[in-house]
Amino acid sequence: MKNSVFSWRGAVAGLAGSLLLIANASAEDACGLCVKQIVTNSELATCFLDQYDQIAKSNSNAVVVDLSSCASRGIVEALPSPTKAPAEPDVQFMVSRPQLQCLKKQLETPGIVLDPSATIELDNCK
């Protein structure tokens, strides 16, 4: 099972890198590959905010965000409840520069509830 997860992450990272090159080539175009929303939790949100300055240094209009190094390791996840399980957080995604700023703004909102997970709409900030 572990091999498939790492292969999947590698494939996503390669795809994201390729998409970034495509996005750079058409920087004037709207970011058709950018996500409209992400699912996050407090751990990933804190990691994103800690890395924001580094992530924002990108010169392109489409920014690849990779938080896979932030995810907990070695912690056993709680068993899902028989009702609806929380959505799995996104650790890799592509956003436009305005969406990146929007995500930061929304994650800094006082009193935001992020656990067990929260969906953040990225087109709400215009």
Side-chain angles (χ1 to χ4, degrees):
M1 181 67 179
K2 283 188 177 182
N3 286 341
S4 66
V5 171
F6 288 117
S7 297
W8 180 84
R9 283 186 178 165
V12 169
L15 179 61
S18 299
L19 296 177
L20 181 59
L21 292 174
I22 294 168
N24 281 338
S26 59
E28 296 301 315
D29 298 338
C31 182
L33 302 171
C34 294
V35 297
K36 301 290 184 200
Q37 65 183 23
I38 63 140
V39 176
T40 193
N41 58 29
S42 59
E43 179 184 7
L44 291 173
T46 299
C47 185
F48 171 80
L49 292 172
D50 290 346
Q51 294 183 13
Y52 179 80
D53 290 338
Q54 186 65 35
I55 295 168
K57 285 182 180 178
S58 168
N59 290 330
S60 72
N61 289 341
V63 181
V64 175
V65 178
D66 184 357
L67 302 175
S68 58
S69 64
C70 304
S72 294
R73 305 226 191 275
I75 296 176
V76 177
E77 297 289 333
L79 292 174
S81 65
T83 59
K84 185 179 178 189
E88 191 68 28
D90 297 311
V91 293
Q92 295 176 327
F93 49 92
M94 184 181 292
V95 293
S96 65
R97 189 152 299 281
Q99 287 176 317
L100 184 70
Q101 294 165 350
C102 178
L103 177 58
K104 180 180 187 284
K105 181 179 177 182
Q106 290 192 50
L107 292 177
E108 292 175 332
T109 302
I112 187 170
V113 177
L114 298 172
D115 291 318
S117 67
T119 301
I120 308 292
E121 297 292 333
L122 297 177
D123 290 336
N124 290 345
C125 309
K126 291 291 180 185

